[in-house]
Amino acid sequence: MKFFWIILFFLLQATEAFLMKNAKVKLCLQASPMNGDLLLEDCNPESHFQDWSWRGDSLMNHGTQSCLSVVGTDTVQTSLCGTMGYTSWDCSNSLLSPLGSSQGYLVANRKGVALNNVRGLKAQWQNVADRSVCEEKAEQDGYFPAALASTHMYDHNATLALGISEEELEELLWFFRREDPSTWNYSILALSFVAMILGLLLLAINIVRNRKRKIHMYREAVQTAQQAELEAKQALMHVQEYSPDEPRKQELEPQDPRSGEVMVQWKDGTVSSLYTERSEDAM
């Protein structure tokens, strides 16, 4: 829970960037995008390299995402936050000095900025509204004193400081969760594998059923064709057996002639013997 409040603290502070204008030269502190040098340029609220914000006791530049650091005895530049040159700053009487050190104060000079024991206007840094940057730090430090001190007393105090309800805080807590997603990823992978196997199994079953149905339909069609052919043959044989032309053929066929007979077929189709035998009685 404490880690969540630290993240939320940084996110809210990120929207409260300010310019660091020197009260003497009326120029703003700008970080170089090429190296860690610091420049004094005309104030430009649109430039991210002139935007600074407090990160605890550190000053971070929004353009380079690096922190104001002290190198050597009096040289000041920007370096990656958390490196060896990282320095925390103390605000007292509108003056910036390295925390826990007596090296001097952050002052403006011809080359840019450096550490010096001068306490005049050159050592005073303000925003565009001529408010001291130390006031910016005091306001931001007052937002989450209870949340950063203890993780067990955030419910009421934090909701009052943020002006949001406890339900919205729970949603933010869920959004910034950082649990290990490996279990969830492996579960989704296993579920995808099972779904793929199930899909392939259903596809194979469907293919086999379609093939069986086609074979069954083909066999039925063959049996139907054979049955129809057999019925047609039986009908043809029945018609040939009872054909009316058959008696006529039998009538037209001449009878076996006997010896001595002369058979004549007349125009009307009748067949008769030319010479009939005389009966033995007649003889």
Side-chain angles (χ1 to χ4, degrees):
M1 184 62 67
K2 186 175 181 179
F3 183 74
F4 161 72
W5 283 112
I6 293 174
I7 293 178
L8 187 60
F9 177 68
F10 285 164
L11 290 176
L12 291 177
Q13 281 189 341
T15 60
E16 299 179 2
F18 52 85
L19 301 180
M20 293 182 60
K21 182 178 66 174
N22 187 265
K24 176 67 175 179
V25 299
K26 302 299 182 182
L27 297 177
C28 287
L29 186 63
Q30 176 175 316
S32 173
M34 305 300 296
N35 47 43
D37 294 341
L38 292 171
L39 308 173
L40 289 175
E41 302 288 344
D42 293 332
C43 295
N44 181 14
E46 301 297 328
S47 175
H48 293 292
F49 298 101
Q50 292 186 7
D51 287 339
W52 299 85
S53 62
W54 285 101
R55 294 293 184 267
D57 292 326
S58 305
L59 281 167
M60 191 189 77
N61 183 269
H62 286 205
T64 61
Q65 296 297 311
S66 56
C67 292
L68 191 65
S69 307
V70 177
V71 179
T73 57
D74 59 353
T75 303
V76 182
Q77 63 180 31
T78 58
S79 59
L80 294 177
C81 299
T83 58
M84 296 299 295
Y86 173 82
T87 302
S88 299
W89 295 87
D90 181 32
C91 261
S92 60
N93 299 324
S94 300
L95 303 178
L96 290 174
S97 62
L99 185 64
S101 174
S102 59
Q103 293 175 276
Y105 304 99
L106 182 68
V107 298
N109 56 25
R110 295 180 180 179
K111 296 181 180 180
V113 292
L115 292 180
N116 200 303
N117 292 323
V118 177
R119 288 175 171 264
L121 293 177
K122 290 184 178 181
Q124 295 183 8
W125 299 90
Q126 305 168 342
N127 58 14
V128 290
D130 294 335
R131 293 180 56 193
S132 173
V133 295
C134 294
E135 295 182 17
E136 296 283 347
K137 184 177 186 301
E139 289 182 359
Q140 296 182 16
D141 288 345
Y143 283 145
F144 302 101
L148 296 177
S150 175
T151 61
H152 300 287
M153 300 179 63
Y154 74 93
D155 292 334
H156 182 68
N157 295 335
T159 52
L160 292 178
L162 293 174
I164 59 179
S165 63
E166 295 182 6
E167 291 77 8
E168 293 174 341
L169 285 177
E170 292 296 333
E171 292 181 0
L172 289 174
L173 176 62
W174 179 86
F175 182 79
F176 286 102
R177 67 192 189 281
R178 293 178 57 87
E179 68 272 8
D180 187 9
S182 299
T183 304
W184 172 258
N185 294 336
Y186 291 146
S187 300
I188 294 299
L189 181 62
L191 184 60
S192 302
F193 181 75
V194 172
M196 182 185 66
I197 296 299
L198 183 59
L200 293 176
L201 181 61
L202 293 177
L203 178 63
I205 292 174
N206 191 23
I207 292 174
V208 171
R209 287 185 176 179
N210 288 337
R211 184 173 299 176
K212 289 182 178 180
R213 184 170 65 252
K214 290 181 180 180
I215 293 175
H216 181 68
M217 293 174 61
Y218 174 75
R219 290 179 178 177
E220 287 184 350
V222 171
Q223 291 178 358
T224 303
Q226 291 178 352
Q227 185 69 21
E229 184 179 0
L230 181 60
E231 292 178 356
K233 289 182 178 180
Q234 291 178 352
L236 182 60
M237 291 177 61
H238 181 72
V239 170
Q240 290 178 352
E241 289 177 357
Y242 295 97
S243 176
D245 295 337
E246 190 67 22
R248 180 177 295 179
K249 289 182 179 179
Q250 295 179 356
E251 293 178 357
L252 294 177
E253 289 181 357
Q255 299 178 355
D256 294 337
R258 290 176 294 179
S259 58
E261 286 185 342
V262 178
M263 306 302 296
V264 178
Q265 183 175 3
W266 305 96
K267 292 182 179 182
D268 57 0
T270 59
V271 179
S272 62
S273 177
L274 183 58
Y275 301 100
T276 58
E277 295 182 355
R278 298 180 179 178
S279 62
E280 293 180 356
D281 295 341
M283 292 179 62

